[in-house]
Amino acid sequence: MKKQTLLGTAILSLMLMLSGCQSAYYSAMEKVGVHKRDILIDRVEETKDSQQESQEEFQSALERLTTLINFDGGELQDAYNQLNDDYESSLAAANEVSSNINKVEDVADALFDEWSDELEQYKSASLKRQSSKKLAATQRQFSQLLRSMRSAESKMEPVLSSLQDNVLYLKHNLNAQAVAAIKGEFTNLKRDIQLLMNDMNKSIEDSNKFIEQMNTTG
């Protein structure tokens, strides 16, 4: 029990430290004229770019598998190495997407907290009301964007798991039977990748809309 308490305290301390680092970063950026709103737009752009990159990596892996299941002689070791490279690249791209989404959510939370606190500084009831409505509208649009991003993110795990299974199976069974077994799993993987692509496209579209809205009302 004591160990669990110490672990919980350590995790909490780490979270507070990381939160403090982010706060210090935002403060430092604000001093040079870069506000949380600007950082949020940049991070949404970065997330969109990383999603597009991950689409390319997953598509490359799918094409590699398509070639593999039509394997007609040659060196299976080379085929395994290439597929493994595609899996590792897809995994790295997926991790980058998740990291960027977390960064987007962090700065959005900080921006909305600050915006909400600053509403109390208004002396004009009319301006306060307008700013409050604008905050609510921005929060609604961001919530939709974040749901879209997280939905696409959740579709990556099944694809990565399937790719890893295929890579591992091929690694330990470098023969025609292994290729036949992978072929049996191909339809489901192809479907999962298509679902991922669709969700990624929706998230990218929502990102563009959010960026446009932030730039228009800035």
Side-chain angles (χ1 to χ4, degrees), residues 28-214:
M29 292 299 286
E30 191 155 338
K31 287 177 181 177
V32 295
V34 181
H35 299 279
K36 296 180 183 70
R37 180 190 190 88
D38 305 312
I39 298 172
L40 175 58
I41 293 172
D42 286 346
R43 288 186 178 180
V44 171
E45 283 276 13
E46 289 169 2
T47 302
K48 183 183 72 170
D49 291 344
S50 67
Q51 287 177 321
Q52 290 171 329
E53 182 179 342
S54 71
Q55 283 184 311
E56 294 173 5
E57 295 295 349
F58 282 117
Q59 189 62 43
S60 176
L62 178 62
E63 290 170 0
R64 187 80 66 190
L65 274 171
T66 302
T67 301
L68 180 61
I69 63 174
N70 294 314
F71 192 74
D72 186 25
E75 181 54 62
L76 267 175
Q77 181 67 49
D78 290 341
Y80 159 74
N81 290 337
Q82 292 168 347
L83 183 59
N84 186 58
D85 287 345
D86 284 334
Y87 165 70
E88 293 292 345
S89 295
S90 297
L91 178 61
N95 287 336
E96 182 70 14
V97 169
S98 293
S99 175
N100 283 335
I101 294 174
N102 290 338
K103 291 176 182 178
V104 164
E105 187 171 14
D106 183 88
V107 70
D109 287 343
L111 170 63
F112 295 143
D113 285 345
E114 178 184 74
W115 195 340
S116 180
D117 289 342
E118 289 178 346
L119 287 175
E120 302 308 315
Q121 298 177 23
Y122 279 96
K123 298 297 186 292
S124 167
S126 175
L127 290 177
K128 178 179 180 179
R129 185 166 55 252
Q130 290 179 49
S131 184
S132 180
K133 287 182 179 179
K134 185 176 175 182
L135 168 59
T138 305
Q139 286 177 310
R140 283 194 300 272
Q141 187 164 9
F142 177 76
S143 293
Q144 177 182 333
L145 172 61
L146 186 61
R147 283 195 301 272
S148 184
M149 286 181 171
R150 292 300 187 190
S151 176
E153 180 188 31
S154 70
K155 299 293 193 306
M156 294 192 295
E157 180 55 38
V159 173
L160 288 169
S161 294
S162 183
L163 283 175
Q164 184 180 41
D165 285 349
N166 285 314
V167 168
L168 287 173
Y169 193 79
L170 188 61
K171 177 180 180 180
H172 298 294
N173 303 274
L174 288 173
N175 51 47
Q177 286 78 15
V179 174
I182 289 174
K183 187 174 183 178
E185 300 288 327
F186 182 72
T187 300
N188 289 338
L189 177 60
K190 186 176 181 180
R191 179 204 63 209
D192 288 344
I193 289 180
Q194 187 56 58
L195 289 172
L196 170 61
M197 294 297 176
N198 292 342
D199 270 26
M200 285 284 191
N201 286 333
K202 175 64 167 58
S203 178
I204 290 167
E205 180 183 341
D206 286 343
S207 294
N208 287 330
K209 289 179 180 177
F210 183 78
I211 292 167
E212 182 181 2
Q213 187 262 345
M214 292 291 281

